[in-house]
Amino acid sequence: MISVQEALNYIAQSPLNRRIQQVDLLDSIGKILAEDVIADRDFPPFNRVAMDGIAVAYQHTGQTWIIENVQYAGSPQITLSDPAHSIEVMTGAILPEGCDTVIRYEDLEILPAEGNKLARLLLPLEEIKKGQHVHPKGIDRKEGSIVLAKGLRISPAEIAILATVGKTQVWVEMPPQVAIISTGDELVEIDETPLAYQIRQSNSYMLASALQQKGIASQRFHLTDDPEILHQHLANILENYEVVLLSGGVSAGKKDYVPAILTALGVQKCFHKVAQKPGKPFWFGVKTNETGEVTRQVFALPGNPVSTFLCFLQYAQAAITRQAVRYEDVYLAQKVHFKPALTYFAPAKTYFDEGKQMAVPFEGSGSADFANLTSCDGFVILPAEQQEFPAGTLVKFIRFR
Ligand code: AMP
Ligand code: MG
């Protein structure tokens, strides 16, 4: 049996090879960029006026200037004819030829003067700095430089850059095709009325909704605990899906066929059983191609709903979404005693007390008591090496709400 950390390492060492595709700019939001993006021009592409006011030639700055023209945003560059004059300029305009400095309207008085307008400075001259309120060409990024590097996740900030460089189409990594399979003879669909010894399947909906929250679609299947059915359908599903999330059939029961069948179908086992509670029977394996790239990831999760959910949150979620889990720091609100040499993921509710995030663990809540999860926000993670966790102990927390 391996430790929680070893399980995380195995999964991290077997990342799924991602398909890449060109998509419309807006469809790239939230996805991983699969190309380096180059600045097609300088950022900004010209010396840009950053304030409404007048543009002047600094070395000829006096206390008043004749305004000889207006430079609007979106108009071709005009030229200052007399270095002692000025040109009215608008934010976003190209700086007129012959000018190097902008003075804001707020610092000026504009006066009429013999057919012309006159700008008079309201400040001491020393307060005007050469080059002020000009956004110099290329200061943000230079033409030809990489403005966005392959591998980053696209947020609205990246969309703005992609738009600026004229990318109507963007190469991105596509989310994997995910199959979610519930196994068990006792399971019926949710619109059926279960017999006395049956239950409605909930795990596949829990997992599908968790993925849907992250913008990832999935297909659900139910397979009975029949080796032939499992073999045949799993073979088919492995043909068509890149990530397979199974629940149930991985423990020590007489009908827990899943690990043997996955192996028979050429899925290489990375590990089976992790020193943790709940979720100990968790099985993980991959299929690779001739060049050793991982083409399929199979997460076979134990069937008890709390185990299924915890194993998904802790192991499968980050691998599928490529978004690392953000563990929080919490203080235990009450002491916990846990003897077995297993990492204990206890469902817990969090609250703030004097700026500290506290967590109340739901002790004694079993891996089948999934209704208790509705009173919880996540799981506290109590290390395997320790048995006593006094109130106030700082521990990691994995959140689902
Ligand atoms: P297993 O891992 O197959 O031994 O299942 C452990 C427990 O989880 C059993 O009580 C199953 O009935 C239950 N279980 C398995 N799959 C599901 C499911 N999709 N929804 C709800 N409970 C399940
Ligand atoms: Mg089962």
mmCIF file with all atom_site columns, all heavy atoms in Angstrom, residues 56-76:
data_model
loop_
_atom_site.group_PDB
_atom_site.id
_atom_site.type_symbol
_atom_site.label_atom_id
_atom_site.label_alt_id
_atom_site.label_comp_id
_atom_site.label_asym_id
_atom_site.label_entity_id
_atom_site.label_seq_id
_atom_site.pdbx_PDB_ins_code
_atom_site.Cartn_x
_atom_site.Cartn_y
_atom_site.Cartn_z
_atom_site.occupancy
_atom_site.B_iso_or_equiv
_atom_site.pdbx_formal_charge
_atom_site.auth_seq_id
_atom_site.auth_comp_id
_atom_site.auth_asym_id
_atom_site.auth_atom_id
_atom_site.pdbx_PDB_model_num
ATOM 1   N N   . VAL A 1 56 ? 3.300   69.511 -26.111 1.00 0.00 ? 56 VAL A N   1
ATOM 2   C CA  . VAL A 1 56 ? 4.274   70.597 -26.316 1.00 0.00 ? 56 VAL A CA  1
ATOM 3   C C   . VAL A 1 56 ? 5.660   69.999 -26.551 1.00 0.00 ? 56 VAL A C   1
ATOM 4   O O   . VAL A 1 56 ? 5.876   68.811 -26.327 1.00 0.00 ? 56 VAL A O   1
ATOM 5   C CB  . VAL A 1 56 ? 4.330   71.534 -25.069 1.00 0.00 ? 56 VAL A CB  1
ATOM 6   C CG1 . VAL A 1 56 ? 2.972   72.173 -24.812 1.00 0.00 ? 56 VAL A CG1 1
ATOM 7   C CG2 . VAL A 1 56 ? 4.820   70.785 -23.831 1.00 0.00 ? 56 VAL A CG2 1
ATOM 8   N N   . ALA A 1 57 ? 6.580   70.868 -27.011 1.00 0.00 ? 57 ALA A N   1
ATOM 9   C CA  . ALA A 1 57 ? 7.993   70.487 -27.107 1.00 0.00 ? 57 ALA A CA  1
ATOM 10  C C   . ALA A 1 57 ? 8.647   70.996 -25.819 1.00 0.00 ? 57 ALA A C   1
ATOM 11  O O   . ALA A 1 57 ? 8.667   72.207 -25.567 1.00 0.00 ? 57 ALA A O   1
ATOM 12  C CB  . ALA A 1 57 ? 8.621   71.117 -28.335 1.00 0.00 ? 57 ALA A CB  1
ATOM 13  N N   . TYR A 1 58 ? 9.138   70.070 -25.007 1.00 0.00 ? 58 TYR A N   1
ATOM 14  C CA  . TYR A 1 58 ? 9.509   70.410 -23.628 1.00 0.00 ? 58 TYR A CA  1
ATOM 15  C C   . TYR A 1 58 ? 10.545  71.525 -23.540 1.00 0.00 ? 58 TYR A C   1
ATOM 16  O O   . TYR A 1 58 ? 10.430  72.425 -22.719 1.00 0.00 ? 58 TYR A O   1
ATOM 17  C CB  . TYR A 1 58 ? 10.031  69.153 -22.926 1.00 0.00 ? 58 TYR A CB  1
ATOM 18  C CG  . TYR A 1 58 ? 10.329  69.358 -21.456 1.00 0.00 ? 58 TYR A CG  1
ATOM 19  C CD1 . TYR A 1 58 ? 9.284   69.357 -20.531 1.00 0.00 ? 58 TYR A CD1 1
ATOM 20  C CD2 . TYR A 1 58 ? 11.627  69.555 -21.001 1.00 0.00 ? 58 TYR A CD2 1
ATOM 21  C CE1 . TYR A 1 58 ? 9.536   69.546 -19.184 1.00 0.00 ? 58 TYR A CE1 1
ATOM 22  C CE2 . TYR A 1 58 ? 11.886  69.750 -19.654 1.00 0.00 ? 58 TYR A CE2 1
ATOM 23  C CZ  . TYR A 1 58 ? 10.843  69.739 -18.746 1.00 0.00 ? 58 TYR A CZ  1
ATOM 24  O OH  . TYR A 1 58 ? 11.090  69.930 -17.423 1.00 0.00 ? 58 TYR A OH  1
ATOM 25  N N   . GLN A 1 59 ? 11.576  71.491 -24.406 1.00 0.00 ? 59 GLN A N   1
ATOM 26  C CA  . GLN A 1 59 ? 12.651  72.483 -24.224 1.00 0.00 ? 59 GLN A CA  1
ATOM 27  C C   . GLN A 1 59 ? 12.188  73.899 -24.556 1.00 0.00 ? 59 GLN A C   1
ATOM 28  O O   . GLN A 1 59 ? 12.868  74.852 -24.208 1.00 0.00 ? 59 GLN A O   1
ATOM 29  C CB  . GLN A 1 59 ? 13.935  72.104 -24.996 1.00 0.00 ? 59 GLN A CB  1
ATOM 30  C CG  . GLN A 1 59 ? 13.880  72.250 -26.489 1.00 0.00 ? 59 GLN A CG  1
ATOM 31  C CD  . GLN A 1 59 ? 13.506  70.920 -27.145 1.00 0.00 ? 59 GLN A CD  1
ATOM 32  O OE1 . GLN A 1 59 ? 12.671  70.168 -26.642 1.00 0.00 ? 59 GLN A OE1 1
ATOM 33  N NE2 . GLN A 1 59 ? 14.117  70.629 -28.268 1.00 0.00 ? 59 GLN A NE2 1
ATOM 34  N N   . HIS A 1 60 ? 11.005  74.006 -25.214 1.00 0.00 ? 60 HIS A N   1
ATOM 35  C CA  . HIS A 1 60 ? 10.484  75.349 -25.524 1.00 0.00 ? 60 HIS A CA  1
ATOM 36  C C   . HIS A 1 60 ? 9.325   75.715 -24.611 1.00 0.00 ? 60 HIS A C   1
ATOM 37  O O   . HIS A 1 60 ? 8.548   76.600 -24.936 1.00 0.00 ? 60 HIS A O   1
ATOM 38  C CB  . HIS A 1 60 ? 10.057  75.412 -26.992 1.00 0.00 ? 60 HIS A CB  1
ATOM 39  C CG  . HIS A 1 60 ? 11.195  75.173 -27.919 1.00 0.00 ? 60 HIS A CG  1
ATOM 40  N ND1 . HIS A 1 60 ? 12.156  76.123 -28.178 1.00 0.00 ? 60 HIS A ND1 1
ATOM 41  C CD2 . HIS A 1 60 ? 11.573  74.066 -28.605 1.00 0.00 ? 60 HIS A CD2 1
ATOM 42  C CE1 . HIS A 1 60 ? 13.063  75.617 -28.998 1.00 0.00 ? 60 HIS A CE1 1
ATOM 43  N NE2 . HIS A 1 60 ? 12.733  74.354 -29.271 1.00 0.00 ? 60 HIS A NE2 1
ATOM 44  N N   . THR A 1 61 ? 9.236   75.015 -23.492 1.00 0.00 ? 61 THR A N   1
ATOM 45  C CA  . THR A 1 61 ? 8.104   75.232 -22.598 1.00 0.00 ? 61 THR A CA  1
ATOM 46  C C   . THR A 1 61 ? 8.199   76.587 -21.917 1.00 0.00 ? 61 THR A C   1
ATOM 47  O O   . THR A 1 61 ? 9.218   76.908 -21.326 1.00 0.00 ? 61 THR A O   1
ATOM 48  C CB  . THR A 1 61 ? 8.056   74.132 -21.519 1.00 0.00 ? 61 THR A CB  1
ATOM 49  O OG1 . THR A 1 61 ? 8.121   72.902 -22.171 1.00 0.00 ? 61 THR A OG1 1
ATOM 50  C CG2 . THR A 1 61 ? 6.788   74.209 -20.721 1.00 0.00 ? 61 THR A CG2 1
ATOM 51  N N   . GLY A 1 62 ? 7.110   77.336 -22.034 1.00 0.00 ? 62 GLY A N   1
ATOM 52  C CA  . GLY A 1 62 ? 7.027   78.605 -21.313 1.00 0.00 ? 62 GLY A CA  1
ATOM 53  C C   . GLY A 1 62 ? 5.861   78.525 -20.352 1.00 0.00 ? 62 GLY A C   1
ATOM 54  O O   . GLY A 1 62 ? 5.595   77.447 -19.804 1.00 0.00 ? 62 GLY A O   1
ATOM 55  N N   . GLN A 1 63 ? 5.127   79.631 -20.201 1.00 0.00 ? 63 GLN A N   1
ATOM 56  C CA  . GLN A 1 63 ? 3.959   79.604 -19.326 1.00 0.00 ? 63 GLN A CA  1
ATOM 57  C C   . GLN A 1 63 ? 2.679   79.629 -20.174 1.00 0.00 ? 63 GLN A C   1
ATOM 58  O O   . GLN A 1 63 ? 1.633   79.244 -19.685 1.00 0.00 ? 63 GLN A O   1
ATOM 59  C CB  . GLN A 1 63 ? 4.024   80.801 -18.366 1.00 0.00 ? 63 GLN A CB  1
ATOM 60  C CG  . GLN A 1 63 ? 3.267   80.627 -17.044 1.00 0.00 ? 63 GLN A CG  1
ATOM 61  C CD  . GLN A 1 63 ? 3.887   79.584 -16.110 1.00 0.00 ? 63 GLN A CD  1
ATOM 62  O OE1 . GLN A 1 63 ? 5.109   79.368 -16.138 1.00 0.00 ? 63 GLN A OE1 1
ATOM 63  N NE2 . GLN A 1 63 ? 3.068   78.929 -15.302 1.00 0.00 ? 63 GLN A NE2 1
ATOM 64  N N   . THR A 1 64 ? 2.807   80.031 -21.442 1.00 0.00 ? 64 THR A N   1
ATOM 65  C CA  . THR A 1 64 ? 1.644   80.040 -22.346 1.00 0.00 ? 64 THR A CA  1
ATOM 66  C C   . THR A 1 64 ? 2.057   79.519 -23.719 1.00 0.00 ? 64 THR A C   1
ATOM 67  O O   . THR A 1 64 ? 3.227   79.626 -24.106 1.00 0.00 ? 64 THR A O   1
ATOM 68  C CB  . THR A 1 64 ? 1.074   81.476 -22.543 1.00 0.00 ? 64 THR A CB  1
ATOM 69  O OG1 . THR A 1 64 ? 2.123   82.302 -23.035 1.00 0.00 ? 64 THR A OG1 1
ATOM 70  C CG2 . THR A 1 64 ? 0.498   82.046 -21.262 1.00 0.00 ? 64 THR A CG2 1
ATOM 71  N N   . TRP A 1 65 ? 1.075   78.932 -24.405 1.00 0.00 ? 65 TRP A N   1
ATOM 72  C CA  . TRP A 1 65 ? 1.313   78.401 -25.756 1.00 0.00 ? 65 TRP A CA  1
ATOM 73  C C   . TRP A 1 65 ? 0.122   78.750 -26.634 1.00 0.00 ? 65 TRP A C   1
ATOM 74  O O   . TRP A 1 65 ? -1.022  78.636 -26.183 1.00 0.00 ? 65 TRP A O   1
ATOM 75  C CB  . TRP A 1 65 ? 1.417   76.879 -25.752 1.00 0.00 ? 65 TRP A CB  1
ATOM 76  C CG  . TRP A 1 65 ? 2.480   76.286 -24.901 1.00 0.00 ? 65 TRP A CG  1
ATOM 77  C CD1 . TRP A 1 65 ? 3.712   75.895 -25.312 1.00 0.00 ? 65 TRP A CD1 1
ATOM 78  C CD2 . TRP A 1 65 ? 2.393   75.988 -23.515 1.00 0.00 ? 65 TRP A CD2 1
ATOM 79  N NE1 . TRP A 1 65 ? 4.419   75.374 -24.259 1.00 0.00 ? 65 TRP A NE1 1
ATOM 80  C CE2 . TRP A 1 65 ? 3.630   75.420 -23.132 1.00 0.00 ? 65 TRP A CE2 1
ATOM 81  C CE3 . TRP A 1 65 ? 1.429   76.171 -22.528 1.00 0.00 ? 65 TRP A CE3 1
ATOM 82  C CZ2 . TRP A 1 65 ? 3.914   75.015 -21.831 1.00 0.00 ? 65 TRP A CZ2 1
ATOM 83  C CZ3 . TRP A 1 65 ? 1.693   75.775 -21.239 1.00 0.00 ? 65 TRP A CZ3 1
ATOM 84  C CH2 . TRP A 1 65 ? 2.923   75.188 -20.904 1.00 0.00 ? 65 TRP A CH2 1
ATOM 85  N N   . ILE A 1 66 ? 0.375   79.070 -27.865 1.00 0.00 ? 66 ILE A N   1
ATOM 86  C CA  . ILE A 1 66 ? -0.696  79.177 -28.858 1.00 0.00 ? 66 ILE A CA  1
ATOM 87  C C   . ILE A 1 66 ? -1.072  77.740 -29.235 1.00 0.00 ? 66 ILE A C   1
ATOM 88  O O   . ILE A 1 66 ? -0.187  76.898 -29.431 1.00 0.00 ? 66 ILE A O   1
ATOM 89  C CB  . ILE A 1 66 ? -0.229  79.964 -30.102 1.00 0.00 ? 66 ILE A CB  1
ATOM 90  C CG1 . ILE A 1 66 ? -0.142  81.444 -29.728 1.00 0.00 ? 66 ILE A CG1 1
ATOM 91  C CG2 . ILE A 1 66 ? -1.155  79.740 -31.304 1.00 0.00 ? 66 ILE A CG2 1
ATOM 92  C CD1 . ILE A 1 66 ? 0.441   82.330 -30.800 1.00 0.00 ? 66 ILE A CD1 1
ATOM 93  N N   . ILE A 1 67 ? -2.370  77.475 -29.268 1.00 0.00 ? 67 ILE A N   1
ATOM 94  C CA  . ILE A 1 67 ? -2.828  76.137 -29.697 1.00 0.00 ? 67 ILE A CA  1
ATOM 95  C C   . ILE A 1 67 ? -3.034  76.202 -31.200 1.00 0.00 ? 67 ILE A C   1
ATOM 96  O O   . ILE A 1 67 ? -3.876  76.962 -31.689 1.00 0.00 ? 67 ILE A O   1
ATOM 97  C CB  . ILE A 1 67 ? -4.139  75.741 -28.986 1.00 0.00 ? 67 ILE A CB  1
ATOM 98  C CG1 . ILE A 1 67 ? -3.906  75.669 -27.467 1.00 0.00 ? 67 ILE A CG1 1
ATOM 99  C CG2 . ILE A 1 67 ? -4.665  74.417 -29.529 1.00 0.00 ? 67 ILE A CG2 1
ATOM 100 C CD1 . ILE A 1 67 ? -5.162  75.408 -26.655 1.00 0.00 ? 67 ILE A CD1 1
ATOM 101 N N   . GLU A 1 68 ? -2.243  75.426 -31.942 1.00 0.00 ? 68 GLU A N   1
ATOM 102 C CA  . GLU A 1 68 ? -2.323  75.581 -33.398 1.00 0.00 ? 68 GLU A CA  1
ATOM 103 C C   . GLU A 1 68 ? -3.157  74.509 -34.089 1.00 0.00 ? 68 GLU A C   1
ATOM 104 O O   . GLU A 1 68 ? -3.479  74.654 -35.260 1.00 0.00 ? 68 GLU A O   1
ATOM 105 C CB  . GLU A 1 68 ? -0.910  75.640 -34.012 1.00 0.00 ? 68 GLU A CB  1
ATOM 106 C CG  . GLU A 1 68 ? -0.100  74.383 -33.757 1.00 0.00 ? 68 GLU A CG  1
ATOM 107 C CD  . GLU A 1 68 ? 1.217   74.365 -34.538 1.00 0.00 ? 68 GLU A CD  1
ATOM 108 O OE1 . GLU A 1 68 ? 1.935   75.379 -34.504 1.00 0.00 ? 68 GLU A OE1 1
ATOM 109 O OE2 . GLU A 1 68 ? 1.497   73.324 -35.161 1.00 0.00 ? 68 GLU A OE2 1
ATOM 110 N N   . ASN A 1 69 ? -3.534  73.430 -33.380 1.00 0.00 ? 69 ASN A N   1
ATOM 111 C CA  . ASN A 1 69 ? -4.238  72.336 -34.069 1.00 0.00 ? 69 ASN A CA  1
ATOM 112 C C   . ASN A 1 69 ? -4.788  71.364 -33.005 1.00 0.00 ? 69 ASN A C   1
ATOM 113 O O   . ASN A 1 69 ? -4.520  71.533 -31.811 1.00 0.00 ? 69 ASN A O   1
ATOM 114 C CB  . ASN A 1 69 ? -3.250  71.599 -34.985 1.00 0.00 ? 69 ASN A CB  1
ATOM 115 C CG  . ASN A 1 69 ? -3.951  70.982 -36.194 1.00 0.00 ? 69 ASN A CG  1
ATOM 116 O OD1 . ASN A 1 69 ? -5.149  70.739 -36.152 1.00 0.00 ? 69 ASN A OD1 1
ATOM 117 N ND2 . ASN A 1 69 ? -3.186  70.734 -37.255 1.00 0.00 ? 69 ASN A ND2 1
ATOM 118 N N   . VAL A 1 70 ? -5.525  70.363 -33.462 1.00 0.00 ? 70 VAL A N   1
ATOM 119 C CA  . VAL A 1 70 ? -6.027  69.327 -32.546 1.00 0.00 ? 70 VAL A CA  1
ATOM 120 C C   . VAL A 1 70 ? -5.644  67.957 -33.102 1.00 0.00 ? 70 VAL A C   1
ATOM 121 O O   . VAL A 1 70 ? -5.840  67.685 -34.288 1.00 0.00 ? 70 VAL A O   1
ATOM 122 C CB  . VAL A 1 70 ? -7.568  69.368 -32.380 1.00 0.00 ? 70 VAL A CB  1
ATOM 123 C CG1 . VAL A 1 70 ? -8.025  68.368 -31.316 1.00 0.00 ? 70 VAL A CG1 1
ATOM 124 C CG2 . VAL A 1 70 ? -8.044  70.764 -32.029 1.00 0.00 ? 70 VAL A CG2 1
ATOM 125 N N   . GLN A 1 71 ? -5.089  67.092 -32.234 1.00 0.00 ? 71 GLN A N   1
ATOM 126 C CA  . GLN A 1 71 ? -4.768  65.709 -32.619 1.00 0.00 ? 71 GLN A CA  1
ATOM 127 C C   . GLN A 1 71 ? -5.772  64.799 -31.911 1.00 0.00 ? 71 GLN A C   1
ATOM 128 O O   . GLN A 1 71 ? -5.740  64.652 -30.683 1.00 0.00 ? 71 GLN A O   1
ATOM 129 C CB  . GLN A 1 71 ? -3.339  65.352 -32.189 1.00 0.00 ? 71 GLN A CB  1
ATOM 130 C CG  . GLN A 1 71 ? -2.937  63.914 -32.439 1.00 0.00 ? 71 GLN A CG  1
ATOM 131 C CD  . GLN A 1 71 ? -2.551  63.649 -33.897 1.00 0.00 ? 71 GLN A CD  1
ATOM 132 O OE1 . GLN A 1 71 ? -1.563  64.169 -34.387 1.00 0.00 ? 71 GLN A OE1 1
ATOM 133 N NE2 . GLN A 1 71 ? -3.376  62.840 -34.564 1.00 0.00 ? 71 GLN A NE2 1
ATOM 134 N N   . TYR A 1 72 ? -6.684  64.198 -32.699 1.00 0.00 ? 72 TYR A N   1
ATOM 135 C CA  . TYR A 1 72 ? -7.688  63.297 -32.114 1.00 0.00 ? 72 TYR A CA  1
ATOM 136 C C   . TYR A 1 72 ? -7.190  61.861 -32.124 1.00 0.00 ? 72 TYR A C   1
ATOM 137 O O   . TYR A 1 72 ? -6.358  61.499 -32.965 1.00 0.00 ? 72 TYR A O   1
ATOM 138 C CB  . TYR A 1 72 ? -8.990  63.366 -32.923 1.00 0.00 ? 72 TYR A CB  1
ATOM 139 C CG  . TYR A 1 72 ? -9.718  64.686 -32.793 1.00 0.00 ? 72 TYR A CG  1
ATOM 140 C CD1 . TYR A 1 72 ? -9.643  65.643 -33.807 1.00 0.00 ? 72 TYR A CD1 1
ATOM 141 C CD2 . TYR A 1 72 ? -10.474 64.961 -31.659 1.00 0.00 ? 72 TYR A CD2 1
ATOM 142 C CE1 . TYR A 1 72 ? -10.312 66.865 -33.694 1.00 0.00 ? 72 TYR A CE1 1
ATOM 143 C CE2 . TYR A 1 72 ? -11.143 66.176 -31.539 1.00 0.00 ? 72 TYR A CE2 1
ATOM 144 C CZ  . TYR A 1 72 ? -11.056 67.116 -32.550 1.00 0.00 ? 72 TYR A CZ  1
ATOM 145 O OH  . TYR A 1 72 ? -11.715 68.306 -32.428 1.00 0.00 ? 72 TYR A OH  1
ATOM 146 N N   . ALA A 1 73 ? -7.747  61.040 -31.205 1.00 0.00 ? 73 ALA A N   1
ATOM 147 C CA  . ALA A 1 73 ? -7.509  59.591 -31.253 1.00 0.00 ? 73 ALA A CA  1
ATOM 148 C C   . ALA A 1 73 ? -8.086  59.059 -32.557 1.00 0.00 ? 73 ALA A C   1
ATOM 149 O O   . ALA A 1 73 ? -9.161  59.488 -32.975 1.00 0.00 ? 73 ALA A O   1
ATOM 150 C CB  . ALA A 1 73 ? -8.191  58.913 -30.067 1.00 0.00 ? 73 ALA A CB  1
ATOM 151 N N   . GLY A 1 74 ? -7.347  58.186 -33.206 1.00 0.00 ? 74 GLY A N   1
ATOM 152 C CA  . GLY A 1 74 ? -7.839  57.587 -34.443 1.00 0.00 ? 74 GLY A CA  1
ATOM 153 C C   . GLY A 1 74 ? -7.555  58.427 -35.673 1.00 0.00 ? 74 GLY A C   1
ATOM 154 O O   . GLY A 1 74 ? -8.048  58.102 -36.750 1.00 0.00 ? 74 GLY A O   1
ATOM 155 N N   . SER A 1 75 ? -6.787  59.511 -35.541 1.00 0.00 ? 75 SER A N   1
ATOM 156 C CA  . SER A 1 75 ? -6.420  60.355 -36.694 1.00 0.00 ? 75 SER A CA  1
ATOM 157 C C   . SER A 1 75 ? -4.934  60.228 -36.969 1.00 0.00 ? 75 SER A C   1
ATOM 158 O O   . SER A 1 75 ? -4.140  60.047 -36.037 1.00 0.00 ? 75 SER A O   1
ATOM 159 C CB  . SER A 1 75 ? -6.734  61.826 -36.409 1.00 0.00 ? 75 SER A CB  1
ATOM 160 O OG  . SER A 1 75 ? -8.116  61.996 -36.254 1.00 0.00 ? 75 SER A OG  1
ATOM 161 N N   . PRO A 1 76 ? -4.537  60.352 -38.239 1.00 0.00 ? 76 PRO A N   1
ATOM 162 C CA  . PRO A 1 76 ? -3.102  60.263 -38.561 1.00 0.00 ? 76 PRO A CA  1
ATOM 163 C C   . PRO A 1 76 ? -2.320  61.365 -37.864 1.00 0.00 ? 76 PRO A C   1
ATOM 164 O O   . PRO A 1 76 ? -2.863  62.430 -37.528 1.00 0.00 ? 76 PRO A O   1
ATOM 165 C CB  . PRO A 1 76 ? -3.073  60.452 -40.087 1.00 0.00 ? 76 PRO A CB  1
ATOM 166 C CG  . PRO A 1 76 ? -4.461  60.235 -40.556 1.00 0.00 ? 76 PRO A CG  1
ATOM 167 C CD  . PRO A 1 76 ? -5.368  60.584 -39.423 1.00 0.00 ? 76 PRO A CD  1
#
